[in-house]
Amino acid sequence: MYGVYSFVNADRISLTVNVVNNERNEQRSFAAIGQPQAAVKSVAAQIFDTFQRPSSPTFINPLPGRTWLALPSAQMGRELNASLGAAMCVTQGGRLPSREEIEIAYAFGEYFSSVRINPSSHYVVEEDGEVMLLNINQNQCVPEKNTSIDKGLVVCIKDN
């Protein structure tokens, strides 16, 4: 551990402390500006927090073993006949997602799932071997054959 300080003005310093782990070839720097006692206290707190505070628990992937597939750009945001949805996903090496998988993707957001789900749109899903249309806002998931709506957005998922 080594440090450097410099005077900012008559009663304030800039303090930087470097902590080096020679075994791992790692280095971390901690810095503060203030009256000497306050700067030292701040740097000490930063060091303590970094090395002693418990880390956050590991995030558990709610869809382990599955990957969302990117669709061809011509299909993005374009509704397809529900009956063609499964075939579209097969061409991409995947399958239609279930209602639960779409709802999980929506709940966790596109930065987690890489899929943007519009809750007011209809999505083609498959439940128990049947093609269905899901609308999250209306909490409806109805068989395609039982509704007058025959088109929906298609997203595909792959089992790894």
Side-chain angles (χ1 to χ4, degrees):
M1 192 195 255
Y2 65 94
V4 178
Y5 72 93
S6 60
F7 290 97
V8 174
N9 59 27
D11 63 342
R12 295 177 69 199
I13 64 168
S14 171
L15 173 65
T16 301
V17 174
N18 298 300
V19 178
V20 179
N21 182 333
N22 291 325
E23 289 178 18
R24 293 186 186 165
N25 204 18
E26 284 181 321
Q27 178 176 316
R28 294 193 186 187
S29 295
F30 306 90
I33 295 175
Q35 293 182 333
Q37 210 170 3
V40 168
K41 185 176 179 179
S42 176
V43 167
Q46 291 173 44
I47 293 170
F48 181 83
D49 286 348
T50 298
F51 295 108
Q52 296 300 316
R53 181 174 287 172
S55 59
S56 299
T58 305
F59 183 79
I60 297 171
N61 183 350
L63 296 173
R66 291 169 273 187
T67 306
W68 291 99
L69 300 174
L71 290 178
S73 59
Q75 296 301 322
M76 295 295 291
R78 197 171 145 213
E79 290 185 336
L80 290 178
N81 285 334
S83 58
L84 300 175
M88 165 67 112
C89 289
V90 168
T91 67
Q92 301 306 303
R95 63 174 172 78
L96 285 173
S98 66
R99 175 184 186 160
E100 178 184 55
E101 289 167 332
I102 290 280
E103 288 175 343
I104 288 172
Y106 173 64
F108 282 87
E110 74 177 291
Y111 295 107
F112 167 77
S113 67
S114 75
V115 174
R116 178 179 291 178
I117 302 296
N118 179 347
S120 61
S121 294
H122 288 87
Y123 284 85
V124 181
V125 297
E126 190 171 325
E127 290 285 317
D128 300 321
E130 188 169 14
V131 175
M132 303 183 84
L133 286 158
L134 168 66
N135 183 289
I136 294 174
N137 272 356
Q138 296 173 2
N139 195 26
Q140 289 180 333
C141 191
V142 295
E144 179 257 337
K145 64 185 177 190
N146 293 350
T147 180
S148 61
I149 301 167
D150 63 350
K151 289 185 176 186
L153 296 173
V154 174
V155 291
C156 303
I157 196 164
K158 177 181 179 181
D159 297 309
N160 298 334

